[in-house]
Amino acid sequence: MDDCIFCKIINGDIPSSKVYEDDDVLAFLDISQTTPGHTLLIPKEHVRNILNMSAETASKTFARLPKLARAVQKATNATAMNIVNNNEELAGQTVFHAHIHLVPRYSKNDGISIKYTVHDPDFEHLAQLADNIKKEVSE
């Protein structure tokens, strides 16, 4: 895609700090560096996000993720890592080429906060929601 910044990086039109590349994927340091070593893993095929990804592209992309995550963690001496993917603007996606963030973590005070809300479960509602999702998976 001509106006996609990640496609331009893949094509070498924009410089990047590459950490891994093969025929199917590219990994490079995010220019924001949320924490030192913040890396992006992208498929070379232009696809908007995971919601639009084929099983083949997903397989190729996610197959590289564990090895890359271990390499980033080892190289940065991080004690933990968040692996994050945002799909669509409401979820925080700002570049509309699929990408996975690998964010090394160093301490509770590194400026990143992810909190999950805990509610008393409504098991009837959960069962209905699970059934609806199962129907969609089957189609």
Side-chain angles (χ1 to χ4, degrees):
M1 177 176 254
D2 292 339
D3 62 341
C4 173
I5 191 169
F6 288 174
C7 288
K8 289 178 181 179
I9 289 171
I10 291 165
N11 293 332
D13 300 331
I14 296 175
S16 66
S17 299
K18 295 178 184 180
V19 299
Y20 178 82
E21 183 173 20
D22 63 27
D23 291 340
D24 301 306
V25 302
L26 174 64
F28 54 95
L29 296 179
D30 189 308
I31 60 172
S32 73
Q33 288 297 285
T34 301
T35 62
H38 180 175
T39 301
L40 299 177
L41 172 62
I42 66 172
K44 287 189 173 178
E45 173 191 349
H46 181 83
V47 59
R48 183 176 176 91
N49 55 42
I50 288 177
L51 300 173
N52 302 110
M53 215 180 253
S54 69
E56 181 181 359
T57 299
S59 178
K60 291 175 181 178
T61 303
F62 282 92
R64 277 61 167 196
L65 188 57
K67 181 177 182 176
L68 183 59
R70 286 189 298 269
V72 171
Q73 186 173 20
K74 185 174 181 181
T76 62
N77 292 313
T79 56
M81 182 174 304
N82 286 105
I83 298 174
V84 181
N85 171 257
N86 305 317
N87 294 277
E88 297 301 335
E89 189 174 352
L90 180 62
Q93 185 177 7
T94 58
V95 176
F96 293 94
H97 181 122
H99 58 287
I100 303 159
H101 296 261
L102 292 85
V103 184
R105 299 298 302 272
Y106 301 96
S107 76
K108 290 181 180 180
N109 301 318
D110 59 13
I112 298 172
S113 176
I114 298 173
K115 297 184 185 205
Y116 296 96
T117 306
V118 179
H119 302 283
D120 289 331
D122 176 345
F123 289 106
E124 284 184 41
H125 176 72
L126 293 174
Q128 181 60 51
L129 183 57
D131 285 343
N132 291 344
I133 293 170
K134 286 178 197 175
K135 288 175 191 171
E136 293 298 324
V137 171
S138 298
E139 293 182 5

